[in-house]
Amino acid sequence: MDELRNIVAVVVPAESPVGRLVDAINTLAANLPPEDRPTVCPLCPTPSWPCTRFDAAAREVQDGGVAIGPFVPLDLHQRLWPPAAAESH
């Protein structure tokens, strides 16, 4: 298995927009590709990243009114959908 990216924990109020989306945001983080293989999900048997789990979580986060750009390392922003997602900080 590929190595996962380093992660940090952040405390937010449960009733905040991010707090309400914590499961989806955790899925985003878990399905980020390693730095040395930016096109491969470390958890999914999919041929490329973004994988279907990341995609579904990203849609849930965006549908919840939160931009996904701040939750994704800058080196992956060019691979995000839609392209405007990377611009929202």
Side-chain angles (χ1 to χ4, degrees):
M1 182 193 287
D2 294 312
E3 212 171 293
L4 298 174
R5 287 185 181 243
N6 290 329
I7 59 168
V8 296
V10 177
V11 178
V12 298
E15 67 278 0
S16 70
V18 171
R20 291 185 187 130
L21 296 166
V22 70
D23 290 336
I25 292 168
N26 285 338
T27 299
L28 288 179
N31 288 275
L32 290 172
E35 289 183 64
D36 63 338
R37 298 191 67 206
T39 62
V40 178
C41 177
L43 302 178
C44 298
T46 185
S48 67
W49 185 88
C51 62
T52 54
R53 287 182 188 163
F54 180 92
D55 188 58
R59 289 181 189 280
E60 183 178 343
V61 171
Q62 286 190 327
D63 289 349
V66 177
I68 62 170
F71 299 101
V72 178
L74 291 174
D75 63 298
L76 298 174
H77 280 205
Q78 72 277 5
R79 297 185 58 87
L80 291 176
W81 62 260
E87 298 169 9
S88 302
H89 293 279

